[in-house]
Amino acid sequence: MAPDPAHDDEEASEVPTAPIEDAECARTTLAVALALLAGLSSVTQNGINTSLRKHAVPIPFMAACVNFAVGLIFIALVALATAPPRSTSTSLKEAPWYAYTGGLFGAV
C-alpha cells in the first residue's frame, strides 16, 4: 500500500501535549510550594525574632539589626555560591539612583 501524503501531513501536525502539560503542572506545583514556604517562613521569622529580642537583644531596633545582618551574610553566601559575578563598576554606575533603594522598603 502506497503512503498517503495527506495522511502524513496530519500525523506530522499533531503535537504531543503530555510533556507541555507536565511542565505546566510542575511549574504550578513549584509556585504553590514556594508560596506556602514563603508564608510559613514569614510566620516562623516573627517567632524567631521575638525569641531573639526576649533572650539576646532586648532593644527591638538592635534585634532587627542582628536579624538583617544574619540575613545579609546568608544571602551573600548563597549569591557567591550560586552565580558568577555579573556586575562591574561600570554597570553599577549605570543603574538609576532609585535602583538601590529597595533595601529601604525591606527594612520598613
Side-chain angles (χ1 to χ4, degrees):
M1 181 173 191
D4 182 12
H7 184 65
D8 288 343
D9 288 340
E10 289 175 11
E11 286 182 11
S13 66
E14 292 180 21
V15 178
T17 59
I20 294 170
E21 291 172 359
D22 288 345
E24 289 175 6
C25 182
R27 282 193 295 269
T28 301
T29 302
L30 178 62
V32 169
L34 289 175
L36 290 172
L37 181 63
L40 181 63
S41 296
S42 179
V43 171
T44 304
Q45 180 186 14
N46 188 18
I48 291 170
N49 289 344
T50 300
S51 180
L52 175 67
R53 187 180 54 81
K54 284 182 180 178
H55 300 289
V57 187
I59 302 168
F61 180 76
M62 293 306 295
C65 288
V66 170
N67 179 18
F68 282 113
V70 171
L72 173 65
I73 291 167
F74 176 76
I75 199 71
L77 291 174
V78 169
L80 290 172
T82 60
R86 297 180 191 164
S87 298
T88 63
S89 61
T90 304
S91 65
L92 292 174
K93 291 176 186 175
E94 292 174 359
W97 66 268
Y98 54 85
Y100 300 102
T101 61
L104 296 175
F105 294 108
V108 175

